[in-house]
Amino acid sequence: MRRPAASKPVKKAKVAARSAAKPAEPAMDIAVGRRIRDLRRTRQLSLETVAERTSLSIGFLSQIERGLSSPSLRVLATIADVLGVGIAALFGASPSADGTSDHVVTRGLQRPELKLWRTGISKQLLSPAGAENKLNLFLVHLEPGGSTGDELYTHDGEEAGLVLEGEMLLTVDTETWSLKEGDSFRFASRRPHRFSNPVDDAKAVVLWVNSVTGAT
């Protein structure tokens, strides 16, 4: 009589399959954390100082810098504000030695991308990278249900955008708008805001512009 196939190899195969399917996003957390640490040290700011100015704990900031925690867009915007840069400076691209960029064109295959994988948001940087750049252009992808969170946040600058695909809920101060393909917006980033994709079966794509007025 033929013996039934052993279950052990099947179990190993399932484990291997799960391992292969595991996302590589934590590598993005490490890269972003390293970039934050480098910018902080370049500006000669201690963790204690950044913690005090962002109202985040020293332990949490340390975890972010070591890639052990995946920060939200709200947290990254707050940290970037204290570092005196736009959020584009956290993408980890390679500007020139003085922190600026002399590039004019960014090719489609060369776009740096920042994936906030826990919140369902990813941002592709369409403009040349540079820590001192005051105007940056992004292509923002919001996965179904993707959101900056329930908490409103603020940061330096001004922003505007155009919904290219899908639907987005935008809250500024106490008012919320439902924006669909072709709708656009603009507001001062110091006004409390948040945004999300309310649809559970389609992503949203938004062309987004951020200007930083206080970068030094």
Side-chain angles (χ1 to χ4, degrees), residues 32 40 58 62-63 71 73 76 87 98 105 114 122 129 137-138 154 170-171 206:
V32 171
R40 177 178 62 78
I58 294 174
S62 177
Q63 285 188 328
L73 184 59
L76 287 179
I87 199 169
D98 62 358
V105 174
L114 182 64
S122 66
L137 181 64
F138 302 93
T154 65
L170 173 66
T171 298
V206 185

Side-chain angles (χ1 to χ4, degrees), residues 33 37 40 47 51 57-69:
R37 181 194 61 200
R40 177 178 62 78
L47 274 174
S57 72
I58 294 174
F60 182 42
L61 287 171
S62 177
Q63 285 188 328
I64 291 174
E65 289 193 356
R66 290 180 290 155
L68 301 178
S69 182

Side-chain angles (χ1 to χ4, degrees), residues 26-118:
M28 176 70 69
D29 296 339
I30 293 173
V32 171
R34 186 175 297 139
R35 182 67 174 144
I36 290 172
R37 181 194 61 200
D38 291 345
L39 285 167
R40 177 178 62 78
R41 290 177 175 175
T42 297
R43 283 152 176 74
Q44 299 183 333
L45 295 173
S46 66
L47 274 174
E48 290 81 0
T49 298
V50 176
E52 181 180 353
R53 294 181 183 178
T54 59
S55 297
L56 301 171
S57 72
I58 294 174
F60 182 42
L61 287 171
S62 177
Q63 285 188 328
I64 291 174
E65 289 193 356
R66 290 180 290 155
L68 301 178
S69 182
S70 182
S72 65
L73 184 59
R74 179 185 65 82
V75 168
L76 287 179
T78 301
I79 294 173
D81 223 18
V82 169
L83 295 176
V85 298
I87 199 169
L90 307 184
F91 277 56
S94 300
S96 58
D98 62 358
T100 62
S101 173
D102 58 0
H103 295 147
V104 174
V105 174
T106 299
R107 301 294 182 185
L109 296 177
Q110 298 175 333
R111 297 173 185 169
E113 186 172 22
L114 182 64
K115 290 185 177 181
L116 305 169
W117 58 283
R118 290 191 186 278

